[in-house]
Amino acid sequence: MRHFDVQIIGGAVLHDGSIAEMKTGEGKTLVSTLAAYLNALTGEGVHVVTVNDYLAQRDAEWMGRVHRFLGLSVGLIQRGMTAEERRFNYRCDITYTNNSELGFDYLRDNLAGNSGQLVMRWPKPFHFAIVDEVDSVLIDEGRNPLLISGEASKDAARYPVAAKIAELLVQGLHYNVELKDNSVELTEEGIALAETALETNDLWDENDPWARFVMNALKAKEFYRRDVQYIVRDGKALIINELTGRVEEKRRWSEGIHQAVEAKEGLKIQADSVIVAQITYQSLFKLYPKLSGMTGTAKTEEKEFLKMFQIPVIEVPTNLPNIRKDLPIQAFATARGKWDHVRQEVAYMFRLGRPVLVGTTSVENSEHLSDLLREWNIPHNVLNARPKYAGKEAEIVAQAGQKNAITISTNMAGRGTDIILGGNPKMLAKEIIEDQLLSGLTQEAPNVEVDGGEISQKVLSKIKVKSSSLALLAKAALMAKYVCKSEGKSWTYQKAKTLILEAVEMSQSINLKDIEKLVDEESEMYPLGPTIALAYLSVLKDCEVHCSREGYEVKKIGGLHVIGTSLHESRRIDNQLRGRAGRQGDPGSTRFMVSLQDEMFQKFNFDTEWAVRLISKITNDEDVPIEGETIVKQLLALQINVEKYFFGIRKSLVEFDEVLEVQRKHVYDLRQLILTGDSESCSQYILQYMQAVVDEIVFGNVDPLKHPRSWSLGKLMKEFISIAGKLLDDSFAGITKDALLKSLGQLHDSSSIDIDSFYLPNLPKPSNSFRGIRRKSSSLKRWLTICSDDLTANGRYRATINLLRKYLGDILIASYLNVIEESGYDDAYVKEIERAVLVKTLDCFWRDHLINMNRLSSAVNIRSFGHRNPLEEYKIDGCRFFISMLSATRRLTVETLLRYWSSPMESQELFL
């Protein structure tokens, strides 16, 4: 492979920290090697981020050879890897991963209990990233935060009851729906019926809150449709990614929605969850000092990339001129008319021999069209979220360019496999090898639901395989049977497929002479792998001849024809589908067909009467399409309005998340300093926390403008003693309010103070725990901090307050250091306890803070009715919540440590 000039331009764009817009088939995968290699030379690590595991693995194997040849190490992150494997791969110069694995690794690292559990390159895990399909990751998936959840309340029994209530309620009478933002509102009649059925006086009763369950049940009923938003498999409701059409087994909807869907389908209810860590993709990728991306469609969203990420979009010219024909959009009054017309167009193209790719928006629609084509006996392939199709995804897409091939697919975004006119010879050769050898290698039948063993009629042309290839195939098949029989091996279906895949990879990485040598070597009695590799290479030559000949014929009759069956909420997604035709200067054509009953028009309450009137003027037949500039302009205007609406939602989410982003960075940076810092720095945090707790107690009970006699000294001493507990000796515990007041008066009147041996007159001295240079230095730093901070307001008694802070801080810290010394434990054990308490306390309060912030984000919208800005309200209250959280964290950390060391044997179970 050699980079085209335009690919070198693309590499320069990536290195510059911009987004390279390159059309489908222009070789973005190869382009990424240029910027990845150059930026990996610093040794700080480069992440190449794709949209799924398959593409990450393919690119790591395919492009990894380039980097290894040039002396760099290449890592790959895949689902199911152990922490040790992840740690090793993140340490490589270039790491291939997918966006969700990267995000979850970052979140898991910030839930780690010790530094040994970290997998990323801390303290600087992010250096430079190249994001493939960057628009899909940062814009489309940007609306859904990554969440790590823990088990919460045990309310599973309520969901089935709420589902039954939802069945009783009638839309329009008992509740109203807003399709645009997926919201439900109960009417007075609905509330009355629900309360009667549930035998409760108040649906929103705090002690018995049924409202959330009923509202979720109604949302599951109206907005979450089987085979559109999810599929049911093995007793589980599995989410379908609306952008890629793939099933996401590990993902669950939050806030009780998933449980409501399970109840609707009569499935086992999984436990409710509570968020313990969350981040959006926008916030995640903002952590990279340098970020770039590749996609075929980003120019329409350039303003958004510039506004939110400060990344420009640069259009890279195509290597060859684009000669694809984009035919005018056709509009139909009814969905029935549209689907009939799609079938007619597919049938016409099939008679011509042209390959056709039909894009649909859901599993439901793809299977409806499949049924229509079966009625006319048109052979075709289906590719959607059903596992029996997903198992053969790469093969189906790779052969979608063959003559007479008809492929119905849900969303094509991020499929990552080029549609080559005439078919993909490598995939075809692999399929022939599997057809010939799998029966000899395994007795196990393929699992139709997983392996795609029975796909609707294949459209594979008859390939003329030469006699030499047939002989090698026969030899490999015979050897496979003999090895199984003689060695008693009984491979599973998946193991047999893996064996063939390894042989295919061998054929690509070892030259022909070396493979022939391996076959002839006597040291290996049954060289099955090399024999299969040799057969594959021979069959591949035949397939290349066949695909080249067929590709020439397909080009002559017009190339690939793409049919879009509805407009998406973004022009960019439609352009991704169009981009499948006309790659690398090939001929091709596209056509979009829409009906006024399509979901987008219904969801956004668009006035489609104008189109109905226009159609009725032209024809009385509602199934006849209309096309032309007027209809195209109107439809595009509607689509742009939808784009603006979703841009507004994303902008609002980003602005709200920026508040949490600052807080998250502070907490996670602190957490990593605690985990990866040295023991001394951890101890310093403890001492700082103790002084901060003392300061809060003092500030809550004094006034620098008033004489100490008006201060709440009794309350101050009570709070201080309650924190310090058993650590303070009896002499200090007996100090009265009057004694403290007298001491402060003497202090105020004194002319000079020795800060090294400072204590309040007539009160107990702090024990001599500040021996040694390090502790004296620490004490001095603390004093300088107290004097220089602006926590104390200016006033006549400011100096007295600062000295009181210093004295009480010295008492608490000295008592703490003494009791540790007396305990007899070594320093390593002490630091381990301190680190564990710090981390666990911070995690506990951060988890509660996330719940509070999520509730706040929902609550502040109501304040707009009072003419207050929800975002400003969120910032103010969010800041207040965060300050309170940090204060509570410090106090509980100090209380826990003081309680632990006052009786360590009783507290052994606390944090070990």
Side-chain angles (χ1 to χ4, degrees), residues 231-238 262 265-270:
I231 63 168
V232 174
R233 188 173 84 212
D234 299 332
K236 294 178 182 177
L238 303 176
E262 288 168 337
E265 294 290 344
L267 307 172
K268 183 184 176 184
I269 310 294
Q270 304 292 320

Side-chain angles (χ1 to χ4, degrees), residues 232-430:
V232 174
R233 188 173 84 212
D234 299 332
K236 294 178 182 177
L238 303 176
I239 297 174
I240 298 173
N241 186 314
E242 62 186 38
L243 303 164
T244 63
R246 291 186 176 87
V247 170
E248 299 193 334
E249 296 191 27
K250 297 286 184 180
R251 190 177 148 205
R252 286 178 66 81
W253 289 301
S254 57
E255 298 177 356
I257 292 293
H258 211 104
Q259 286 83 359
V261 169
E262 288 168 337
K264 182 183 83 170
E265 294 290 344
L267 307 172
K268 183 184 176 184
I269 310 294
Q270 304 292 320
D272 246 347
S273 58
V274 61
I275 298 166
V276 296
Q278 74 176 65
I279 193 168
T280 60
Y281 283 122
Q282 287 103 329
S283 296
L284 176 69
F285 285 102
K286 280 180 183 176
L287 296 170
Y288 284 93
K290 183 175 174 183
L291 179 66
S292 65
M294 312 178 289
T295 181
T297 47
K299 204 64 182 175
T300 55
E301 317 292 342
E302 182 173 22
K303 286 182 181 176
E304 187 166 346
F305 280 116
L306 279 170
K307 187 175 182 65
M308 294 187 183
F309 301 97
Q310 294 76 52
I311 305 177
V313 177
I314 311 295
E315 283 186 276
V316 178
T318 55
N319 186 45
L320 296 170
N322 185 357
I323 58 172
R324 185 186 72 229
K325 292 178 183 175
D326 292 327
L327 302 171
I329 295 173
Q330 292 182 331
F332 297 80
T334 65
R336 181 172 57 82
K338 177 186 76 174
W339 290 114
D340 281 346
H341 212 76
V342 170
R343 176 167 61 174
Q344 289 171 26
E345 183 138 340
V346 169
Y348 173 69
M349 293 296 170
F350 182 68
R351 287 195 296 274
L352 291 178
R354 287 183 67 181
V356 179
L357 173 66
V358 186
T360 63
T361 54
S362 68
V363 174
E364 192 178 47
N365 287 339
S366 66
E367 294 184 344
H368 173 63
L369 180 58
S370 178
D371 292 339
L372 290 177
L373 294 183
R374 277 202 197 94
E375 288 175 10
W376 284 14
N377 295 318
I378 299 173
H380 59 277
N381 277 329
V382 178
L383 181 53
N384 61 32
R386 298 234 185 263
K388 63 180 177 181
Y389 301 129
K392 298 280 267 186
E393 178 182 316
E395 289 92 334
I396 291 172
V397 177
Q399 305 314 331
Q402 286 195 324
K403 194 174 178 182
N404 289 109
I406 310 294
T407 308
I408 303 168
S409 172
T410 49
N411 215 314
M412 288 303 300
R415 291 289 177 203
T417 308
D418 278 349
I419 298 176
I420 302 169
L421 296 186
N424 185 319
K426 289 183 179 178
M427 290 285 191
L428 209 52
K430 180 171 166 279

Side-chain angles (χ1 to χ4, degrees), residues 15-276:
H15 177 63
D16 198 39
S18 302
I19 292 171
E21 182 183 271
M22 301 180 73
K23 302 302 177 194
T24 302
E26 290 295 304
K28 292 189 285 290
T29 308
L30 190 61
V31 167
S32 67
T33 57
L34 297 165
Y37 172 76
L38 185 55
N39 285 273
L41 292 176
T42 61
E44 294 173 275
V46 169
H47 297 159
V48 182
V49 185
T50 66
V51 291
N52 59 49
D53 270 357
Y54 162 71
L55 293 177
Q57 184 176 8
R58 184 201 70 177
D59 293 354
E61 291 168 357
W62 195 11
M63 297 296 119
R65 297 178 199 169
V66 176
H67 301 303
R68 290 188 192 97
F69 173 74
L70 293 170
L72 297 182
S73 57
V74 177
L76 170 67
I77 302 296
Q78 296 272 276
R79 188 174 67 187
M81 279 186 170
T82 64
E84 193 57 47
E85 289 170 327
R86 288 172 187 273
R87 194 175 299 112
F88 173 80
N89 285 302
Y90 276 120
R91 294 293 183 277
C92 292
D93 297 309
I94 298 171
T95 304
Y96 285 83
T97 181
N98 73 60
N99 49 350
S100 64
E101 289 295 323
L102 180 71
F104 283 123
D105 279 339
Y106 175 69
L107 291 178
R108 279 191 291 263
D109 270 8
N110 283 292
L111 292 172
N114 56 65
S115 58
Q117 294 173 358
L118 302 176
V119 299
M120 300 184 86
R121 287 177 171 234
W122 295 98
K124 293 172 75 175
F126 303 113
H127 167 54
F128 173 60
I130 301 171
V131 184
D132 194 12
E133 304 293 351
V134 66
D135 54 333
S136 176
V137 173
L138 294 186
I139 293 179
D140 300 326
E141 295 196 45
R143 281 183 277 171
N144 303 317
L146 292 167
L147 305 172
I148 291 181
S149 302
E151 198 168 303
S153 59
K154 311 282 187 185
D155 283 325
R158 292 190 180 221
Y159 289 102
V161 177
K164 295 291 183 189
I165 300 296
E167 288 175 16
L168 291 174
L169 302 178
V170 179
Q171 185 187 340
L173 174 62
H174 298 119
Y175 64 94
N176 297 312
V177 300
E178 182 60 61
L179 289 169
K180 189 160 69 172
D181 55 6
N182 282 11
S183 62
V184 177
E185 184 182 3
L186 283 168
T187 62
E188 290 296 326
E189 291 86 352
I191 293 170
L193 179 57
E195 287 177 346
T196 304
L198 291 167
E199 298 179 351
T200 179
N201 295 323
D202 185 2
L203 213 54
W204 280 268
D205 183 355
E206 285 186 9
N207 298 318
D208 190 24
W210 273 103
R212 179 171 72 91
F213 297 95
V214 174
M215 300 299 265
N216 280 346
L218 288 172
K219 287 179 182 178
K221 175 184 172 182
E222 293 294 334
F223 307 127
Y224 293 84
R225 289 178 292 154
R226 187 169 178 165
D227 292 339
V228 179
Q229 276 81 20
Y230 66 94
I231 63 168
V232 174
R233 188 173 84 212
D234 299 332
K236 294 178 182 177
L238 303 176
I239 297 174
I240 298 173
N241 186 314
E242 62 186 38
L243 303 164
T244 63
R246 291 186 176 87
V247 170
E248 299 193 334
E249 296 191 27
K250 297 286 184 180
R251 190 177 148 205
R252 286 178 66 81
W253 289 301
S254 57
E255 298 177 356
I257 292 293
H258 211 104
Q259 286 83 359
V261 169
E262 288 168 337
K264 182 183 83 170
E265 294 290 344
L267 307 172
K268 183 184 176 184
I269 310 294
Q270 304 292 320
D272 246 347
S273 58
V274 61
I275 298 166
V276 296

Side-chain angles (χ1 to χ4, degrees), residues 534-798:
L534 210 56
Y536 170 79
L537 285 173
S538 183
V539 172
L540 179 60
K541 286 181 184 177
D542 300 337
C543 290
E544 284 171 347
V545 172
H546 165 82
C547 291
S548 176
R549 189 188 306 116
E550 191 160 291
Y552 176 73
E553 290 178 20
V554 171
K555 286 178 186 177
K556 278 203 303 184
I557 55 179
L560 177 68
H561 183 60
V562 171
I563 302 174
T565 55
S566 66
L567 291 179
H568 200 271
E569 291 160 357
S570 167
R571 290 169 291 166
R572 184 170 41 79
I573 306 297
D574 295 338
N575 290 338
Q576 286 178 2
L577 184 59
R578 287 189 180 101
R580 289 289 164 178
R583 64 176 289 282
Q584 286 289 336
D586 288 341
S589 57
T590 66
R591 164 89 76 188
F592 271 74
M593 300 181 192
V594 300
S595 93
L596 302 182
Q597 293 177 340
D598 283 350
E599 187 178 1
M600 188 173 81
F601 301 115
Q602 306 295 322
K603 190 173 182 179
F604 291 91
N605 295 323
F606 285 137
D607 178 18
T608 52
E609 289 299 314
W610 58 270
V612 173
R613 287 195 297 272
L614 184 59
I615 292 171
S616 61
K617 284 179 184 177
I618 298 169
T619 176
N620 291 324
D621 187 352
E622 63 179 12
D623 294 342
V624 172
I626 60 168
E627 56 183 70
E629 277 191 31
T630 308
I631 191 85
V632 170
K633 280 182 181 176
Q634 290 281 1
L635 290 171
L636 287 178
L638 296 179
Q639 202 173 21
I640 289 168
N641 284 338
V642 176
E643 285 178 1
K644 286 178 180 175
Y645 170 76
F646 280 116
F647 171 68
I649 289 176
R650 289 193 298 270
K651 182 170 174 284
S652 175
L653 283 172
V654 167
E655 286 171 343
F656 273 74
D657 194 57
E658 278 173 352
V659 178
L660 200 55
E661 191 179 312
V662 174
Q663 298 174 357
R664 184 191 300 113
K665 189 173 188 311
H666 178 89
V667 169
Y668 284 180
D669 285 352
L670 173 60
R671 209 177 179 286
Q672 291 303 326
L673 281 170
I674 294 167
L675 286 182
T676 59
D678 57 25
S679 302
E680 204 56 45
S681 63
C682 189
S683 292
Q684 284 304 312
Y685 277 117
I686 301 294
L687 303 188
Q688 286 169 20
Y689 276 19
M690 288 183 175
Q691 183 63 58
V693 168
V694 166
D695 290 347
E696 286 173 9
I697 292 171
V698 171
F699 292 140
N701 294 286
V702 301
D703 184 343
L705 299 173
K706 295 180 180 178
H707 190 277
R709 75 171 65 91
S710 64
W711 295 355
S712 304
L713 295 178
K715 184 169 171 249
L716 185 152
M717 287 302 296
K718 188 176 179 182
E719 283 185 43
F720 179 72
I721 291 169
S722 73
I723 289 285
K726 299 177 184 176
L727 289 188
L728 298 177
D729 57 36
D730 296 337
S731 61
F732 192 91
I735 296 173
T736 63
K737 171 185 171 182
D738 293 336
L740 181 58
L741 178 61
K742 183 181 177 183
S743 182
L744 289 172
Q746 292 175 357
L747 183 67
H748 184 68
D749 296 335
S750 69
S751 54
S752 63
I753 293 165
D754 180 7
I755 207 66
D756 276 336
S757 57
F758 164 75
Y759 66 99
L760 291 183
N762 304 317
L763 294 183
K765 281 186 180 182
S767 57
N768 190 17
S769 292
F770 298 102
R771 295 185 296 271
I773 295 296
R774 186 176 291 165
R775 289 198 175 161
K776 279 188 177 178
S777 169
S778 172
S779 180
L780 181 60
K781 279 181 185 174
R782 211 158 35 81
W783 171 242
L784 292 173
T785 303
I786 289 169
C787 291
S788 62
D789 67 32
D790 54 1
L791 294 172
T792 317
N794 285 321
R796 184 180 175 189
Y797 295 97
R798 174 174 178 161

